[in-house]
Structure formats: structure tokens, C-alpha cells
Amino acid sequence: MSQSPDQTSQQVRSSFLDYFKTQGHQLVPSSSLVPQDDPTLLFANAGMNQFKNIFLGLQKPSYTRAVSSQKCLRAGGKHNDLENVGFTARHHTFFEMLGNFSFGDYFKKDAIHLAWQYVTQELQLDKNRLYVSVFTDDHEAAEIWHKQEGVAQDRIYRFGEKDNFWRMGETGPCGPCSEIFYDLGPEVEGSPQDNVMGGPGDRYMEIWNLVFMQYFEDGQGSGLKPLPRPSIDTGMGLERISAVVQNEINNYHTDLFQGLIQRAAEGCGLEYVKSIAQMKGASSKERELQHSRNVAFRVLADHGRAAAFLIGDGVLPSNEGRGYVLRRIIRRAVRYGRNLSESDSLLPLVVGEVIAQMGSVYPELEAQGPRILQTVQEEEARFLTTLDQGTAILNGEIDKILGRGHRTLGGQVAFKLYDTYGFPVDLTRLMLKERGLELDETGFEEQMNEAKNKAKASWKGKALSQDAGHLIQLSQQLQAQHGPTTFVGYEKTYLTEVKCLALSDGQSLQAELRQGQSGVMAFAQTPFYAEGGGQVGDSGLIKGPSGQAEVLDCRKENEIYWHWVQVTEGGLKSSEAFVLQVNESERRQTANNHSATHLLHSALREVLGTQVSQAGSLVEPERLRFDFTHNRALTEEELERIEQLVNREIAAARPVSHQVMSPDQAKKEGALALFGEKYGDQVRVIGMGDFSKELCGGTHVPNTSWIRLFKIVSEGGVSSGVRRIEALTGEAAHRYLSHLAEENLKVRKLSGVQENWQAILSRKTEPLLSWAELILQDRRSLERQVQQLKGASVDVESLLKNTQEFDCAGAKANRILAEVELDDRKLLSDLADQLRARLTRGVAIVVGSAESEGKARPLVVAVTKNLSQDLKAGEVIAQLGGKGGGRPDFAQGSVESLKRL
């Protein structure tokens, strides 16, 4: 029996989902790549991630069988395939995991039968090319494969814990697993010793993993305990199974990647060759060149997919966390794209093809399409500047170490490239590898750790030493025993006689915390809001018979609310009942800011367009911060209009409504939902008249008039395609405006400008601003005169005496380095031109003085035309330790610490 060669990856995905739906499975959409309520994961990396709480018994769904096609990413942390992508047939950053799941419903017999029936009947795979593996001691699974499904004994392999036993973590559900393998055939390259079942070769490819969750491990060394209701978790990579049904031995040769590769090939005018071995008449050098091109094509295709899906799920390039992983992926793709074309922009072409190819399956790609493309284009443009500058510096350092006969680049150099110039260390490694060199990894890590230690700041100045694993495990136990914490804070800010469920110092359970000690407490119910949805946790007091504590924060782990406390009097005992009291003043100010955030969101969409979406927020008692997607700075007129709209709704005294409904009903009623957010069966919808309606679990004012006043205090860029507004409300906004008014009056007295209030409100004239501009013009004029006098005093002849001779491209050249007490760039440029004019073949370097202490010094480099082909002005700036750019014969920049050439 042979499989059909005509199935597309889309047909495979659909057939898998449809098959399990006919077997009574609930189709569950893929969750976001950004895990919700799981601090242990950087990205979703398996199909079971979104069902974790179901497997742990913390959540009871309405179904006992599920099927999904889950978006996954492995490019950071423990699961990191990034460096291998492009060089192998099967490594990917982004991939889709097809999976079927049973939550205490069917177990081994049905799981094995369903899997075997799908691959042999639905996909019609040749049974003679299929093998299975089981855990060494799992005789039950081996017997099911042989007796129930008819798999020959010699096709059933037994492997140990490393390959065939699965654990969720140090504690929790676990069990043996069974894998289905496919023999790709003898044409697969590699050693015969490696290309065997269970070997490291590529011939026998695992296509499906069936995990039998039948035990619980408590982490206390007491062994494996049988679960009362065993479960099933399976995973089959769409990329691998597509390769099988399309008769390919390389995932990149399937329709999932070939359309993307061809788009890149069209963009650069080069060709992707599936089989280099079959390049007739090609020399070894030509084959090597084609191999490097193939690697670049595969990197672009894979990374284009990862970038599109990450940005579509709300991740944006940054220098930390998930944003840094995205930045690395984009920059690695751009770097390899440069191997195909120095001038053509290839990654945006590939990303556009990803959106076109997969938008019908994942509608978030189409919905976020313009934003995804713009983010990639802007990040690419930003990196190309970094790439050229960093490459020049790194090449200079490589020449130095080769000149000294060394083979290792110092960690300090790599760290400076990363920290000062934003040059990714993985690109440094790659460029070193291309030259047969290595990086001092230990030295680099030491520099990184030193920088991290300097940057660390304690949490609210009152850091609590905590074991995250302890709280996660304790939360799971509490939720299993008592259920989730009941939040009553929408109606109450004060509770009495509340029994403590757990008292911990952050490391282990405690019977008592004494005065001066810090810890965390959990209760069956609480009025304290736990940090979430951008809103900070409540603060307040906890009082008991033996003492009291200040509540510094409230945070949620799973569905358990943890109160972070500092004991201020006596002691708190876990056996006591307590009074829980929220700081009402801070709660009300936070509510002001949260409700104002909703009004701001609606105002932004009205002024800038409905394409604006929330990209993050911070709501605390003192202020609000709102991040939103937009590709440019806002004008003064736009900011004024936004402010007016928000204050109009505040003055209109709109009642704030709170309704609970299904997510689908909320969307039908026009409520805004955060993209990528995971919502339950019921959601809370906050409405403010006809102006604003959003899904939100935060605390709000009962009427918009409670906000009193809204004032934007700043607007700026956060990252590519994301802007940030900070604003004040209520009393804070009033104090801010009063201070500005008082300062304004004092300046008016100094200036002699007098206006009545009618003129000020009409804004017909701005005499105070005109007066200030006139003062600044006079000052700038005087500063220019001073600079000109300084410039006139520079002795060019004296500077020419510092001329030095050096070799460049096998010929003599001259170099002048002039350090002068000037900060005017025009005068510095004129001086550089004068010095260059006196050189036959050479470079003039002029370094000015900093405008103020701590600032970088201006730097100008001018190169004679006959030298600029061999020595570019921008490269000289980089060699001097500066930043900047320009033409090959003339460049400007700045330098903090000048390097001597």
C-alpha cells in the first residue's frame, strides 16, 4: 500500500482534524505562541501547553477529548533550535503540532488504534515503511501494537527513559510514550551505522509521539503513583508528515516551504537546488556556493514564518525576553539574506508570502498583515545599519587576532559589539566560524552576567526571596484541594474572619511569620485584586489576633491569589483567621486610571483609525501607561483631540456597566478584546456609554465623572511600530496642571508678557512662546559667533605637523588626527575639508569637544577620493570606536572613548 503523493500540507492538516472530530474529539483552536498564565514557558512549544491545567486537574473543560493544530516555536531557553535551522532537513523555529488528547477518557488501546488507523488508512502510508518504539518496561503497549494492530515484533523497538518516557516537570503527571517512525529510504545521505532505527541518522524519522500519562511523580522520591484517570497527549509535526506524504526526504522541499523559497529566489534572481549531488558538471566550489545559498534560502523561509506568527501574536522586536528572540530571528534572516543579495530586501517578500499562504488557516495573519510587514521592514532597515557598522568593527578585530596568530576573539570585544552596537552575538559566532575562528564564550558570559547584575533592581525596594517552583507546586495543591481563590473585590474592599489556606516565606510553608519577616499568604476568598491585564495588584493590610502585615502586592499563580506581605507588628499564624483590608485610596486611583485607559483606547481608534490596537499597558495608582500599534509620532493636534475626547466622556458622567457573557456574545456586541489573550467560557465586559466597550477583568469607577480629569504627559516610541502614551488622572492630573500654571506665571513675570485669561483661552497669539524663541535665537547666534572665533583661531599648519604615514592596499597614505575645542559640526566639517585638501592620498580625522560633560564628542572623517575605494570614512569612524556614517569619502558621527589607530 502506498500513500498518495498529491496531498498538500493544508489537506493533511484538515484530514487530521476532521478524522479526530469524527472520533468524538472537540476541535480546539491553537492558542497564542505567547503562553497565558504559564511563567515556565517562553513560547508555546507543544500541543499540550494550552491543556496543561486540565492535565493537572486544575481546570475542568466541557469535553474529555480534544484535537488541535498548535502553533509552536523553539528558539529560546531549553528548547532552542535556532542555530541548526538551515543546515539540516528537519530543524525549525516555528512549526505546527497536530495532536489528539484524552482527559481521563480513552487510554492506550484506543490511542494506538486511532493513530495506526489514521496513518495507514487515512494517509495510506506503506506499513512496510513504518516502525514503532515503546518504553523498555511498557509490555502493555508492545502487546497492543503487536496483537491489536498486527505490527510485527521485529518492527517494535524498546528504548529507555531518555527517548520513551515523558515528564511534565520535576513533579506532576508523567508516563511512557510510544513513537511511530517512517523509513525515508536508502537514498537518505549519511553513515549506514547512523541510519538505523533509534540511531542519530535521518533515514528513520519519528512522525508521531503518543504519551501515556498514567503516573504522578511528587518529587519527594516516593516513586511513581498510578493516576486515577490516565490521559493521552500526542504530537505529530505537520512539517514532517507533509514530507512523508509528498515523498520528500527534506521538510524544506514540501509545499509549506517551497512557495516561500521560490518567492525569495524571485527576489534575488538566484536558484534553490534540491539536490546538489545531481548538479552535473559543477565544480566543488560551485557546489559549495550552492550549498551556502540553499542554507540562506531555508533560513529565510523558516525565519519568515516565525517572524510573521510572532508579530501576529503580539510580540515585537526588543532587547529582552520574547522580543529579543524575535529580533534575533529577524536579524539572522537578514544576515543570511545578504548572502543571496547585497541590495535586495528579501525577508519582507517571504513574510508577505507567509501571510498569503497561511492567512486563511490563521486569520490573525491577515488581520495583522500590514503591521507584521511594517515591523519586519523597519527592523530590517534598523539592523542593516548595525550590520554594516558591526561587520566593519568585527573584521578589524579579526584581522588583529589573525595578525597575532591567535584563533579566539575575546569575550569583551563580542560584548561591546552586542552592548554598544546592538550586534547579535550569534552573528559574531557565525562570522567567526566562517573564518575558522572561535569566541571566548566564558569571557562573554562573564561580561553579560556583570551587566545583568548592575541592571538588577529590587522589586518595590522590598524583594522577597522566593522559589518559583515552590509557589507553582503549592498553588496546584491548593487549587486541587480548595478550588480557585474567590475574588470579591468588585463589591468589597474589606473582609473579616478569613481563614488562611497557606503561609509561606517564599521557600517553604511556615506556621508563623514574625515581625520584620516577608512572605506570601493565600485565602479561600479575597478583596485584593491580583496583578493582571496591565493593572498592578492591590496593596493594603492584613490583621490577625497576633499581629498585622502590610500587603505589598497581590499576584496570581494559576487561579490562586498570593498576598505578598511584610509583617509590621507581632506575628501572623497560619492557624488564625484574618481581616483583609484593601488600601481604598490607591484602589480608587487605580480604578480612575484603568477606566481612563479604556477611554484613551477608544479615543485613539477614533482619531487615528480602527487599525490601532493595544500592545500593552500599565495601570497603577500614580499614572497610566498605554502602548499601541502606530507607525509614526502623533502630532500636537492629534494629541489635543485625543485629550478632548477623553475629557468629554469624563464630563458626560457616563455610567460604567459590568456584564458577564460568553466571548462570542461579547464580540457580537462590539466589545474590544486583546488579540492573543486567552479567555474562558465567560468574560466580563466593561461599557462606558456608546464610546467604549472592552473585555476586562480589572477594577473600574462606577461613573466616568469619578475620573475628574485626564492629561497626557508624554508620547513616544517604544519599539518598531509601537507608540506609548503616559497620562495622569484625577488629583495627580490637577496637581500637574497647577504646577505648570504656576511655573508659567513666574516666567510671564520675568518676561514682562501680560495677557488676560480670555486671550490665553482663545490661543490667538502666543507671546510668551515668541519671547522664549527670541531668547533662544539670540543665544544660538552668540554661540555661533563664539564657535567661529574659536574656528578662526585653529592653526591648520600646526595640525598638519601631526601627519602620520601608514600602508593601505599596498601603497603609502597619510593620516591626520586633529583634536580641537569645537563642537559646531559645520566648522568641524570645514576643518576636515581643509586638512584633506592638503593631503595627496590620505584621511583627515577631526574630533571636537563634547557639548557638555558626559556627552559623546563629535567626529568627522574626510578621505581623499583616490583612497576612498580602499578605506571608507565610515569604517574609520568604527575603528576609532565611534558611531556614525556617510559617504565613502566623508562621514560624521560621535565617539565616547576615542581609540588610537
Side-chain angles (χ1 to χ4, degrees):
M1 189 180 292
S2 62
Q3 71 269 20
S4 165
D6 300 322
Q7 292 191 67
T8 66
S9 56
Q10 189 149 332
Q11 288 171 330
V12 173
R13 186 194 298 110
S14 296
S15 78
F16 182 89
L17 300 177
D18 290 343
Y19 169 75
F20 280 100
K21 281 196 292 183
T22 64
Q23 302 296 327
H25 291 64
Q26 173 71 40
L27 175 59
V28 179
S30 172
S31 66
S32 168
L33 282 170
V34 179
Q36 301 294 319
D37 301 322
D38 191 345
T40 66
L41 280 180
L42 190 65
F43 298 107
N45 58 25
M48 62 78 60
N49 290 157
Q50 67 170 317
F51 303 115
K52 184 175 178 180
N53 283 345
I54 300 176
F55 285 123
L56 290 170
L58 304 177
Q59 184 181 336
K60 289 183 169 56
S62 58
Y63 47 84
T64 58
R65 299 180 174 198
V67 62
S68 70
S69 178
Q70 174 64 43
K71 298 179 291 187
C72 296
L73 193 107
R74 292 181 180 174
K78 177 183 174 183
H79 301 287
N80 187 356
D81 289 339
L82 184 62
E83 296 305 319
N84 293 318
V85 170
F87 293 93
T88 71
R90 298 203 278 270
H91 277 100
H92 307 291
T93 52
F94 173 85
F95 59 97
E96 292 178 79
M97 187 64 80
L98 305 173
N100 60 290
F101 308 89
S102 164
F103 310 114
D105 189 331
Y106 61 81
F107 198 48
K108 286 184 188 178
K109 281 190 175 183
D110 289 330
I112 289 173
H113 178 68
L114 288 169
W116 193 247
Q117 182 172 283
Y118 178 73
V119 297
T120 60
Q121 296 184 27
E122 296 295 318
L123 295 183
Q124 298 184 7
L125 300 191
D126 184 351
K127 289 183 180 180
N128 293 319
R129 300 180 74 169
L130 293 172
Y131 296 79
V132 298
S133 70
V134 297
F135 179 54
T136 303
D137 300 330
D138 194 355
H139 308 299
E140 180 188 8
E143 187 173 285
I144 293 170
W145 279 115
H146 178 56
K147 292 186 176 180
Q148 177 180 287
E149 304 305 330
V151 178
Q153 293 279 15
D154 61 358
R155 288 180 174 271
I156 302 172
Y157 287 73
R158 294 173 183 262
F159 298 129
E161 281 201 26
K162 179 183 175 184
D163 296 305
N164 279 75
F165 199 92
W166 180 89
R167 286 179 170 82
M168 186 177 287
E170 292 182 7
T171 64
C174 59
C177 56
S178 181
E179 297 170 322
I180 301 176
F181 288 80
Y182 186 81
D183 179 5
L184 293 172
E187 61 268 29
V188 175
E189 295 178 359
S191 163
Q193 289 78 25
D194 291 340
N195 276 335
V196 295
M197 260 296 291
D202 288 339
R203 174 172 173 173
Y204 295 88
M205 179 171 70
E206 177 214 328
I207 58 171
W208 205 342
N209 188 13
L210 316 178
V211 177
F212 309 129
M213 293 189 196
Q214 62 187 96
Y215 302 113
F216 186 89
E217 194 164 36
D218 62 10
Q220 304 299 316
S222 56
L224 302 176
K225 299 175 182 176
L227 287 172
R229 298 179 68 209
S231 296
I232 293 292
D233 156 31
T234 84
M236 176 163 62
L238 177 62
E239 293 73 17
R240 292 192 177 197
I241 194 63
S242 294
V244 170
V245 300
Q246 293 172 24
N247 292 315
E248 298 288 356
I249 61 174
N250 189 313
N251 292 2
Y252 289 95
H253 297 170
T254 68
D255 63 339
L256 283 165
F257 296 95
Q258 278 300 296
L260 310 179
I261 288 173
Q262 290 308 314
R263 188 71 186 93
E266 292 166 7
C268 65
L270 297 174
E271 184 181 2
Y272 179 84
V273 178
K274 282 188 176 183
S275 178
I276 294 176
Q278 294 179 9
M279 290 174 62
K280 294 180 179 179
S283 65
S284 59
K285 190 172 183 180
E286 287 171 333
R287 292 171 187 270
E288 188 178 323
L289 177 60
Q290 186 59 54
H291 172 73
S292 69
R293 287 173 177 170
N294 280 2
V295 169
F297 278 122
R298 291 194 287 262
V299 168
L300 280 166
D302 176 274
H303 291 8
R305 290 182 0 134
F309 277 94
L310 281 170
I311 299 167
D313 276 353
V315 181
L316 293 166
S318 69
N319 285 327
E320 59 186 14
R322 297 182 178 100
Y324 180 58
V325 174
L326 172 60
R327 174 160 282 168
R328 286 183 66 199
I329 288 171
I330 292 175
R331 293 187 168 190
R332 188 170 186 263
V334 173
R335 170 71 170 78
Y336 275 97
R338 274 293 187 91
N339 291 349
L340 297 173
S341 174
E342 287 284 337
S343 57
D344 297 304
S345 180
L346 300 179
L347 182 60
L349 295 178
V350 174
V351 169
E353 188 66 23
V354 173
I355 296 169
Q357 188 181 106
M358 304 190 74
S360 60
V361 181
Y362 295 100
E364 61 268 26
L365 292 179
E366 287 187 346
Q368 302 288 325
R371 179 181 172 215
I372 293 170
L373 282 170
Q374 180 186 339
T375 302
V376 170
Q377 288 163 348
E378 291 179 353
E379 182 65 18
E380 180 184 54
R382 185 181 293 111
F383 177 54
L384 286 175
T385 302
T386 300
L387 182 62
D388 291 339
Q389 192 173 32
T391 299
I393 296 171
L394 182 56
N395 283 336
E397 294 293 338
I398 287 173
D399 290 342
K400 288 179 184 176
I401 62 176
L402 288 175
R404 293 193 290 266
H406 297 165
R407 310 298 299 175
T408 303
L409 181 73
Q412 189 172 4
V413 176
F415 177 75
K416 183 176 181 181
L417 280 166
Y418 163 79
D419 189 52
T420 306
Y421 300 97
F423 198 76
V425 69
D426 51 315
L427 289 192
T428 299
R429 292 190 187 101
L430 180 63
M431 292 176 65
L432 289 171
K433 185 179 178 181
E434 290 172 348
R435 301 281 292 271
L437 305 175
E438 296 179 342
L439 171 64
D440 174 12
E441 298 285 355
T442 303
F444 177 75
E445 287 302 321
E446 287 174 355
Q447 294 283 324
M448 284 290 288
N449 291 333
E450 186 179 336
K452 287 176 184 176
N453 291 334
K454 287 179 181 176
K456 279 183 181 176
S458 63
W459 169 69
K460 286 192 176 181
K462 300 176 181 178
L464 170 66
S465 174
Q466 61 145 326
D467 178 349
H470 161 65
L471 288 184
I472 291 171
Q473 185 178 353
L474 188 53
S475 298
Q476 293 170 355
Q477 293 172 359
L478 291 176
Q479 192 163 341
Q481 293 169 9
H482 304 283
T485 303
T486 301
F487 175 61
V488 298
Y490 296 135
E491 302 84 22
K492 303 174 182 179
T493 57
Y494 185 88
L495 283 181
T496 60
E497 295 298 313
V498 185
K499 184 182 177 182
C500 177
L501 297 181
L503 177 67
S504 169
D505 62 0
Q507 304 287 331
S508 60
L509 285 172
Q510 300 293 317
E512 181 180 13
L513 289 178
R514 302 295 301 169
Q515 184 172 340
Q517 289 184 306
S518 298
V520 290
M521 302 180 73
F523 304 90
Q525 58 178 337
T526 181
F528 283 85
Y529 180 83
E531 177 182 308
Q535 180 176 328
V536 298
D538 279 331
S539 61
L541 294 174
I542 290 178
K543 299 177 183 178
S546 308
Q548 72 174 33
E550 180 184 356
V551 179
L552 305 174
D553 198 359
C554 184
R555 304 182 189 178
K556 189 163 60 171
E557 180 60 54
N558 286 317
E559 294 301 319
I560 300 298
Y561 285 50
W562 288 103
H563 304 69
W564 297 56
V565 300
Q566 177 93 32
V567 182
T568 54
E569 294 179 21
L572 303 182
K573 297 178 180 178
S574 61
S575 59
E576 296 175 337
F578 296 91
V579 171
L580 276 56
Q581 183 177 340
V582 175
N583 184 322
E584 289 196 54
S585 174
E586 288 196 354
R587 164 70 79 81
R588 177 167 176 173
Q589 292 170 46
T590 302
N592 281 353
N593 287 333
H594 204 151
S595 296
T597 299
H598 283 217
L599 294 175
L600 171 60
H601 191 184
S602 293
L604 283 164
R605 289 168 64 87
E606 185 165 321
V607 173
L608 303 178
T610 55
Q611 78 282 354
V612 168
S613 61
Q614 182 175 341
S617 67
L618 174 66
V619 178
E620 54 187 8
E622 296 81 14
R623 54 147 186 172
L624 68 90
R625 189 180 76 203
F626 189 79
D627 296 347
F628 57 98
T629 58
H630 198 55
N631 58 4
R632 60 170 175 80
L634 274 62
T635 65
E636 289 183 14
E637 292 77 14
E638 287 169 337
L639 288 170
E640 184 177 1
R641 176 65 179 143
I642 290 163
E643 253 187 24
Q644 287 174 347
L645 285 172
V646 175
N647 282 308
R648 182 194 73 186
E649 295 302 308
I650 292 171
R654 311 282 188 198
V656 177
S657 64
H658 311 254
Q659 294 177 285
V660 176
M661 60 185 75
S662 69
D664 288 341
Q665 182 61 32
K667 289 172 185 175
K668 285 178 185 175
E669 295 190 9
L672 290 176
L674 280 182
F675 184 78
E677 191 77 13
K678 187 178 180 181
Y679 295 105
D681 295 335
Q682 296 288 297
V683 295
R684 188 163 174 262
V685 178
I686 304 297
M688 301 177 195
D690 295 329
F691 190 72
S692 171
K693 185 175 285 188
E694 290 192 34
L695 275 64
C696 181
T699 60
H700 290 270
V701 296
N703 189 290
T704 59
S705 63
W706 283 41
I707 302 171
R708 292 176 53 199
L709 181 63
F710 173 83
K711 179 62 186 172
I712 295 173
V713 295
S714 71
E715 189 276 334
V718 180
S719 60
S720 175
V722 177
R723 308 296 298 177
R724 171 174 291 172
I725 281 179
E726 293 192 69
L728 305 174
T729 65
E731 183 59 31
H734 181 265
R735 290 200 314 271
Y736 176 79
L737 291 173
S738 295
H739 176 74
L740 290 182
E742 183 181 341
E743 194 173 44
N744 184 285
L745 287 172
K746 289 177 180 177
V747 175
R748 284 177 182 276
K749 287 179 181 178
L750 286 173
S751 67
V753 172
Q754 297 296 326
E755 276 186 296
N756 59 32
W757 61 270
Q758 291 100 331
I760 293 172
L761 287 178
S762 70
R763 297 191 68 177
K764 289 180 179 176
T765 60
E766 295 180 322
L768 184 62
L769 181 61
S770 299
W771 174 80
E773 288 174 342
L774 187 62
I775 294 293
L776 288 173
Q777 285 175 8
D778 289 343
R779 177 178 174 175
R780 282 194 288 267
S781 176
L782 290 170
E783 287 174 344
R784 277 196 299 271
Q785 291 178 42
V786 169
Q787 290 290 328
Q788 286 168 357
L789 289 170
K790 285 183 177 179
S793 66
V794 173
D795 187 350
V796 174
E797 296 300 327
S798 176
L799 294 175
L800 286 168
K801 294 178 182 178
N802 296 324
T803 301
Q804 295 179 327
E805 195 174 82
F806 69 102
D807 286 325
C808 183
K812 298 292 184 184
N814 291 308
R815 176 173 55 226
I816 301 173
L817 174 61
E819 296 186 63
V820 294
E821 291 299 316
L822 295 172
D823 59 27
D824 184 285
R825 287 194 174 273
K826 186 178 184 310
L827 293 174
L828 292 170
S829 298
D830 291 343
L831 179 57
D833 282 336
Q834 291 180 55
L835 294 172
R836 176 175 57 181
R838 303 288 292 273
L839 298 173
T840 304
R841 183 175 186 265
V843 54
I845 303 164
V846 178
V847 187
S849 58
E851 292 181 7
S852 59
E853 191 174 344
K855 294 273 189 179
R857 299 167 68 186
L859 173 63
V860 179
V861 176
V863 183
T864 57
K865 290 285 186 184
N866 58 1
L867 180 62
S868 62
Q869 291 297 317
D870 301 316
L871 180 64
K872 293 178 173 56
E875 293 176 358
V876 177
I877 288 180
Q879 291 168 9
L880 291 165
K883 296 180 180 179
R887 304 189 310 270
D889 65 328
F890 187 88
Q892 296 188 58
S894 58
V895 61
E896 292 182 5
S897 178
L898 187 67
K899 284 186 178 179
R900 300 295 170 179
L901 299 176

